[in-house]
Amino acid sequence: EKLNWTAHSQAKEGFDEYVVDQFNTSEKVPLLVYDLMLIEVWKEKIWPLVKSKIAKFSSLRTYIPVYHEATLTNLLEVCLFHRTTCEEAQDALVDLVDYCIRKLRYLLHTPNEELVHQVSAKECAEWDSVMALNQQFNECEFQICMCVISILRFLTDHRVALPLAVTTRLLDTHDVLQLLVPLMEKAPWVRTNRVTGRIEKFEEHKWQVVEADDEGRLPKLHSQVWLTIYNLIMDQECRSR
């Protein structure tokens, strides 16, 4: 969590990004990907069996293991912005592509209103501890999926430096374009607030009200999808495939 916060702070402020450099120098990026696979399996196989018991604990203690996956994707997002990280990760990126595809499929097959429930304070007060935990889980899952969109964009930005297996995975095994185009039309990063009726977009990891002057401006995540599609269509190797 501290490494993630520091890495993002350095990138945002334009400082020396020694956290990312250290991950690359120590060859620890594949370890991050492995940890990501591990927590994904844990959430799928173990979490349903224990959540009713640990829901009785403090909300912070139950939130940390669920949020761990979001921390990892957020950290990988800032690392993979750099071509050197993509080159260092090598074959681990094949597993990362598979992971990203699973998250995109989740985004597509889940209705937008179910991805993040809009609830009032009165409704929250009526929830039991398990329902509150489920809401936290869904919110984390949505944040993870938003990070995954950026990760895919960076992988396509640096495709030339990646192992050939990554390109094969993107285009032949999964046909990622067939996921990106309907995702762009679904646009889960934009919603209408059911209380105020105002349009909101998901920016900087939170929902923000779209002011009247900005209604015609493309959301950042929408731009990321456009750039990913552009990279895949205009790249010569991808075009030949």
Side-chain angles (χ1 to χ4, degrees), residues 57-155:
F57 301 156
S58 70
S59 58
L60 182 62
R61 286 179 64 188
T62 54
Y63 186 66
I64 287 172
V66 174
Y67 191 70
H68 182 61
E69 187 179 359
T71 301
L72 284 168
T73 52
N74 209 215
L75 183 52
L76 279 167
E77 180 185 6
V78 74
C79 287
L80 293 168
F81 174 79
H82 302 277
R83 178 167 175 159
T84 49
T85 304
C86 293
E87 292 173 338
E88 193 277 314
Q90 288 297 310
D91 290 343
L93 296 180
V94 175
D95 290 324
L96 185 60
V97 167
D98 290 345
Y99 172 84
C100 292
I101 295 299
R102 289 193 291 274
K103 295 302 178 184
L104 289 187
R105 287 172 178 163
Y106 167 78
L107 272 181
L108 282 171
H109 83 246
T110 307
N112 285 356
E113 60 273 10
E114 293 180 17
L115 288 170
V116 180
H117 294 283
Q118 297 188 54
V119 293
S120 63
K122 182 181 178 181
E123 290 171 321
C124 286
E126 295 171 354
W127 286 353
D128 59 21
S129 55
V130 175
M131 289 181 67
L133 211 53
N134 286 337
Q135 176 68 4
Q136 285 184 342
F137 187 95
N138 290 336
E139 287 177 358
C140 272
E141 201 67 23
F142 182 77
Q143 287 189 36
I144 292 162
C145 291
M146 296 301 102
C147 284
V148 158
I149 292 172
S150 297
I151 288 173
L152 262 180
R153 180 261 167 112
F154 298 145
L155 290 177

Side-chain angles (χ1 to χ4, degrees), residues 20-234:
V20 176
D21 290 341
Q22 190 62 35
F23 271 114
N24 294 336
T25 305
S26 305
E27 300 181 351
K28 295 297 184 184
V29 177
L31 186 65
L32 287 179
V33 176
Y34 170 79
D35 198 16
L36 190 62
M37 303 298 106
L38 198 65
I39 191 63
E40 182 193 22
V41 173
W42 185 88
K43 284 172 66 177
E44 181 182 342
K45 304 293 185 183
I46 307 299
W47 177 252
L49 304 178
V50 301
K51 68 177 178 181
S52 60
K53 296 178 182 178
I54 66 173
K56 302 168 187 175
F57 301 156
S58 70
S59 58
L60 182 62
R61 286 179 64 188
T62 54
Y63 186 66
I64 287 172
V66 174
Y67 191 70
H68 182 61
E69 187 179 359
T71 301
L72 284 168
T73 52
N74 209 215
L75 183 52
L76 279 167
E77 180 185 6
V78 74
C79 287
L80 293 168
F81 174 79
H82 302 277
R83 178 167 175 159
T84 49
T85 304
C86 293
E87 292 173 338
E88 193 277 314
Q90 288 297 310
D91 290 343
L93 296 180
V94 175
D95 290 324
L96 185 60
V97 167
D98 290 345
Y99 172 84
C100 292
I101 295 299
R102 289 193 291 274
K103 295 302 178 184
L104 289 187
R105 287 172 178 163
Y106 167 78
L107 272 181
L108 282 171
H109 83 246
T110 307
N112 285 356
E113 60 273 10
E114 293 180 17
L115 288 170
V116 180
H117 294 283
Q118 297 188 54
V119 293
S120 63
K122 182 181 178 181
E123 290 171 321
C124 286
E126 295 171 354
W127 286 353
D128 59 21
S129 55
V130 175
M131 289 181 67
L133 211 53
N134 286 337
Q135 176 68 4
Q136 285 184 342
F137 187 95
N138 290 336
E139 287 177 358
C140 272
E141 201 67 23
F142 182 77
Q143 287 189 36
I144 292 162
C145 291
M146 296 301 102
C147 284
V148 158
I149 292 172
S150 297
I151 288 173
L152 262 180
R153 180 261 167 112
F154 298 145
L155 290 177
T156 58
D157 276 351
H158 308 305
R159 190 208 61 79
V160 176
L162 305 184
L164 186 60
V166 173
T167 304
T168 303
R169 214 75 177 171
L170 285 168
L171 297 175
D172 301 340
T173 308
H174 297 301
D175 196 357
V176 70
L177 283 169
Q178 294 282 30
L179 293 174
L180 292 173
V181 173
L183 179 64
M184 190 162 55
E185 295 173 347
K186 190 173 186 279
W189 45 81
V190 178
R191 72 180 186 185
T192 302
N193 189 297
R194 73 174 196 177
V195 177
T196 63
R198 300 191 66 179
I199 297 173
E200 296 177 338
K201 60 181 177 180
F202 194 78
E203 299 258 322
E204 306 297 333
H205 306 290
K206 61 183 178 181
W207 290 101
Q208 301 180 11
V209 175
V210 179
E211 301 298 336
D213 294 342
D214 291 336
E215 286 185 1
R217 184 177 297 173
L218 212 58
K220 289 181 181 177
L221 286 159
H222 204 114
S223 304
Q224 296 283 44
V225 177
W226 264 119
L227 288 167
T228 308
I229 293 173
Y230 174 85
N231 287 339
L232 291 169
I233 290 178
M234 300 308 293

